Structures are given as structure tokens and as C-alpha cells.
């Protein structure tokens, strides 16, 4: 039985991505060699990188003046690369969860960090609003989707200083106005590719403003000037990312994806609200993530948590256990998750409710 994959990351990918990657592992681009054993500088692989960059630009409508690069090190390395390259004196950060907290910790090694808003007081179950961004900050850093807690910033906010966004878990889930951002980055293993590659979309004129010297590998300009080929890039995940981008284009792009994502999230949140056994962990509807839907057992039904997890697993629902810092359940509904899988989960929740009535 094909399982319904609700893992938060690494996570579900389109069949198209898996199938084409398997094919390339056997014979890449008709070369008679595996993707795993070819030079990253072969013209066939350079074409993969070029096409992936072109599709990033096309699908997200990235304006002139921006570069797209693929790096190793995960989103976590960006937590230090961003302040290394951008933080002269002071930076502003919004603390909306564990990943934001980690980004803040790294930035503090490079200068003054002003945390303009935080939802830590309520275990990160809301998006702070009404904060003020200091006009003299070098940049303002946000995490648009909080994968662990299930909150999401769904609008492109206006920032008086360059806006930097960790979009690891919601990139390509909706159209974004790139011109409002200076940097958008993320690990690819949530909504794009297998683990191992990090994408960075970067406005070129943001660079070169700090005085410190930066190690070559940690300098954005190194990778921009070498078009992600300064050193050996993560060949396999870049190839897989290209397949997902092609699939996305075939599906109608990010505008179409957003429509489906809205329907999927609404179906599940509605059931969580309706079903007497469950309740959502994020009170405000406008703060709820479309990508990671978090819920717990309702009052009086806490004792059934493990039983529901086992019941769901028996019904082919995989990866629903919530992160240890929230508990309960987390259903990740990334782009590749079909609407039918969410329907199947809702049916299992209803079946469980009927058992307990
Ligand atoms: C998963 C995740 C990260 C960490 O990504 P790595 O590639 O493992 O370093 C950072 N930020 C967010 C929002 C994430 O979901």
C-alpha cells in the first residue's frame, strides 16, 4: 500500500521527481552514466543548474538584479552566512519559533541584534504584530513558515530595511512579491528536493557593504560569480529540485498551487474544529500555517493521543506525530501532497471519533 506521507521534512515529493531521479541514477541525460558518477562541470549537468535557476526565476517572477544560487550546509548555515555578509552594526529579527531562535543566536556573534517581536511567551502559537522595525538596522529577518509550531506569515510584509526571509518550508506554496525581499533562502528538503541543497535568492546590490573579511566559501559573491560552481555543488538534490520545478510548472505554477494549498488546509482545519476529539494549537485563523497543520487531543480526550497515532499509522498515515516541543500531531501538507491524502486523513479522524463515541 502506498502510504500517505505527512512528514515535516524531509518530506513528500512528487512521483515525477522520484521517477525521473531514479532514471537519472541509472542513465543521466543519455550519457550512459549515472548522475552519481559524472562531472558537475559536464555540459549536461551545467544545463541542469541553468534550467533550475531559470525555472526559479520564471515560477517566482524574480525581477532583474537578483541571483539564485544553490549551496550546501542547509538553511542552518544561512543563519550565519546572512549576518556574516550583511550585518555591519545592527540587525532586526522576529522570533517566531525554534528556527528563528537559532538564526538570532548566530547573528549575535556578528553584531547587535534587536528582536523586535516574539511569540515565545505563548510557545510560539501566534505571529507577533504591531512591532517596529528600526530604520537603522542593516536588515530585518523573518521566518515565514514555522514548521515546528504551525504558524505562517502569509503576506509579504513591508519593511523599511532589507527583508531577509527563511522560506524553507513554504517556498513555492504561494506567489510572492520578490521585490519586497533582499534575501529568501531555505533548505530544499521540505517542499522541493531531497536533503542536501539550500537555495538562496539574493538581491545583488545588498552585498559588499560590510567591512569584515569573509571566508571565501561563506561569501555570497563567490557563489554568485561562479554560478553555484565554485566547489562541487550537491548534484543529486539539484537534479531532483529541477524535476520538482518542472512538475510545478506543469501543475500551473505557484498561483495554482496556492489554490490547492488553501483547499487542503481548509479541509483539515475544518475537520479539527468540527471533530470533538481534536483541537488546533494555533488559535488565530490568520496565523495558521497551510503547510504544517498542528493539532492536539481536545480536553478530556488526552489519553487517546497514542491510540490515535497508532490508529492513523494502521490506516497508512505516516509522520503525524507532532514535534516534541508541541506534542500532539502535525500534518505537513506540502505541495506534493494530494488533496486525496488530506481527505483520507479526515476520514480516519472521523472513523476514530465514531469509535470513541
Ligand atoms: C527545516 C528548517 C530549517 C533547517 O533546515 P536545515 O536545512 O536542516 O538546516 C530552517 N528553517 C526552517 C523554517 C525549517 O523548516
Amino acid at each position: 500500500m502506498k502510504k500517505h506521507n505527512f512528514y515535516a521534512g524531509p518530506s513528500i515529493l512528487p512521483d515525477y521527481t522520484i521517477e525521473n531521479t531514479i532514471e537519472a541514477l541509472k542513465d543521466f541525460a543519455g550519457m550512459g552514466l549515472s548522475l552519481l558518477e559524472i562531472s558537475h562541470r559536464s555540459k549536461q549537468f551545467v544545463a541542469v543548474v541553468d534550467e533550475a535557476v531559470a525555472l526559479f526565476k520564471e515560477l517566482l517572477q524574480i525581477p532583474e538584479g537578483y541571483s539564485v544560487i544553490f549551496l550546501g550546509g542547509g538553511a542552518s548555515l544561512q543563519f550565519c552566512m546572512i549576518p556574516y555578509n550583511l550585518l555591519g552594526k545592527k540587525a532586526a529579527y522576529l522570533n517566531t519559533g525554534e528556527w528563528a531562535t537559532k538564526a538570532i543566536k548566530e547573528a549575535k556573534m556578528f553584531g547587535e541584534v534587536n528582536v523586535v517581536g516574539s511569540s515565545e511567551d505563548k510557545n510560539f502559537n501566534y505571529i507577533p504584530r504591531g512591532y517596529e522595525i528600526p530604520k537603522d538596522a542593516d536588515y530585518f529577518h523573518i521566518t515565514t513558515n514555522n514548521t515546528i509550531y504551525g504558524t505562517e506569515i502569509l503576506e509579504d510584509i513591508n519593511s523599511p530595511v532589507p527583508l531577509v526571509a527563511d522560506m524553507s518550508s513554504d517556498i513555492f506554496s504561494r506567489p510572492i512579491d520578490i521585490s519586497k525581499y533582499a534575501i529568501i533562502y531555505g533548505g530544499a528538503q521540505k517542499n522541493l528536493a531531497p536533503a542536501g541543497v539550500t537555495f538562496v535568492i539574493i538581491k545583488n546590490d545588498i552585498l559588499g557593504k560590510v567591512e569584515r573579511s569573509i571566508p571565501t566559501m561563506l561569501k555570497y559573491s563567490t557563489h554568485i560569480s561562479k554560478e553555484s560552481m565554485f566547489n562541487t555543488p550537491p548534484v543529486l538534490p539539484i537534479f531532483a529540485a529541477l524535476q520538482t520545478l518542472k512538475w510545478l510548472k506543469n501543475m500551473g505554477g505557484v498561483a495554482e498551487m496556492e489554490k490547492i494549498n488553501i483547499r487542503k488546509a481548509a479541509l483539515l482545519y475544518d475537520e479539527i474544529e468540527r471533530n470533538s476529539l481534536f483541537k488546533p494549537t494555533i488559535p488565530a485563523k490568520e496565523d495558521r500555517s497551510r503547510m504544517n497543520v498542528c493539532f492536539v487531543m481536545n480536553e478530556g480526550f488526552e489519553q487517546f493521543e497514542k491510540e490515535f497515532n497508532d490508529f492513523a499509522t494502521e490506516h497508512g498515515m505516516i509522520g503525524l506525530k507532532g514535534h516534541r516541543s508541541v506534542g500532539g500531531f502535525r500534518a505537513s501538507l506540502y505541495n506534493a501532497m494530494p488533496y486525496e491524502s488530506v481527505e483520507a486523513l479526515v476520514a480516519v479522524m472521523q472513523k476514530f471519533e465514531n469509535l470513541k463515541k
Side-chain angles (χ1 to χ4, degrees):
M1 174 173 72
K2 174 86 178 159
K3 311 279 187 190
H4 301 281
N5 182 357
F6 293 95
Y7 275 125
S11 37
I12 186 167
L13 288 168
D15 288 340
Y16 181 87
T17 301
I18 308 277
E19 295 300 329
N20 285 351
T21 304
I22 292 170
E23 209 35 60
L25 288 177
K26 294 190 215 152
D27 182 5
F28 169 60
M31 290 174 82
L33 297 169
S34 167
L35 175 65
L36 301 180
E37 52 185 9
I38 50 110
S39 167
H40 59 294
R41 301 194 190 280
S42 63
K43 72 172 190 308
Q44 290 87 342
F45 187 72
V46 170
V48 167
V49 175
D50 288 349
E51 196 180 353
V53 169
L55 277 173
F56 253 80
K57 291 187 172 173
E58 180 185 335
L59 290 165
L60 294 174
Q61 298 185 14
I62 300 175
E64 288 292 306
Y66 285 78
S67 298
V68 177
I69 50 176
F70 300 113
L71 307 173
S76 300
L77 183 61
Q78 297 310 304
F79 297 164
C80 102
M81 272 179 80
I82 285 156
Y84 221 141
N85 285 265
L86 302 185
L87 206 172
K89 239 187 141 115
K90 178 159 103 181
Y93 277 71
L94 190 65
N95 191 3
T96 52
E98 264 185 52
W99 299 115
T101 303
K102 286 183 172 157
I104 290 165
K105 177 171 177 249
E106 297 305 299
K108 283 182 175 165
M109 296 187 205
F110 297 90
E112 187 189 335
V113 174
N114 188 335
V115 179
V116 298
S118 170
S119 46
E120 198 178 0
D121 58 337
K122 292 192 175 157
N123 200 30
F124 299 112
N125 76 355
Y126 67 102
I127 298 290
R129 287 190 171 74
Y131 50 81
E132 215 166 302
I133 306 161
K135 308 251 180 323
D136 60 343
D138 295 314
Y139 62 89
F140 175 45
H141 180 284
I142 59 172
T143 312
T144 50
N145 185 63
N146 298 286
T147 323
I148 292 173
Y149 299 92
T151 60
E152 189 171 7
I153 299 171
L154 284 158
E155 74 273 38
D156 301 310
I157 62 172
N158 294 309
S159 167
V161 300
L163 182 61
V164 175
D166 176 354
M167 291 199 187
S168 293
S169 50
D170 62 348
I171 188 76
F172 294 116
S173 69
R174 65 175 178 92
I176 35 182
D177 180 354
I178 301 282
S179 69
K180 288 194 172 173
Y181 299 85
I183 292 185
I184 294 172
Y185 69 94
Q189 69 275 19
K190 310 281 164 56
N191 214 5
L192 187 63
V197 66
T198 309
F199 62 86
V200 186
I201 303 165
I202 183 160
K203 195 165 186 238
N204 299 321
D205 68 12
I206 191 86
L207 298 173
K209 294 186 179 155
V210 293
E211 310 255 309
R212 72 175 65 86
S213 55
I214 303 169
T216 314
M217 264 301 278
L218 299 181
K219 217 173 173 163
Y220 287 120
S221 57
T222 302
H223 301 284
I224 292 171
S225 67
K226 299 288 182 190
E227 299 179 339
S228 305
M229 292 279 184
F230 171 72
N231 70 323
T232 319
V235 170
L236 187 147
I238 292 175
F239 178 87
L242 172 61
Q243 308 316 307
T244 305
L245 294 168
K246 288 181 177 178
W247 171 84
L248 193 56
K249 187 174 168 174
N250 259 331
M251 293 288 289
V254 286
E256 215 37 57
M257 223 11 97
E258 180 179 44
K259 285 186 204 157
I260 304 170
N261 287 332
I262 289 173
R263 286 182 60 225
K264 285 189 298 191
L267 178 65
L268 186 51
Y269 281 118
D270 285 350
E271 174 60 18
I272 295 165
E273 300 261 10
R274 187 212 60 77
N275 193 309
S276 53
L277 300 187
F278 303 103
K279 64 172 185 190
T281 59
I282 309 303
K285 285 191 174 162
E286 65 274 18
D287 291 348
R288 289 179 187 165
S289 170
R290 290 175 192 155
M291 296 285 102
N292 311 98
V293 177
C294 293
F295 56 103
V296 290
M297 302 308 300
N298 221 339
E299 282 95 30
F301 298 101
E302 292 89 345
Q303 70 273 26
F304 296 129
E305 182 170 312
K306 184 174 181 309
E307 194 181 332
F308 176 70
N309 199 40
D310 294 344
F311 185 80
T313 307
E314 278 161 30
H315 287 79
M317 310 282 141
I318 305 300
L320 281 175
K321 202 167 163 19
H323 190 274
R324 60 191 176 280
S325 47
V326 184
F329 306 98
R330 168 175 54 174
S332 297
L333 315 182
Y334 298 120
N335 283 350
M337 157 108 3
Y339 188 80
E340 293 69 32
S341 286
V342 188
E343 286 181 319
L345 173 58
V346 166
V348 166
M349 291 164 77
Q350 292 174 351
K351 198 169 167 188
F352 193 69
E353 185 187 32
N354 287 332
L355 279 180
K356 296 296 158 196
K357 264 198 193 147

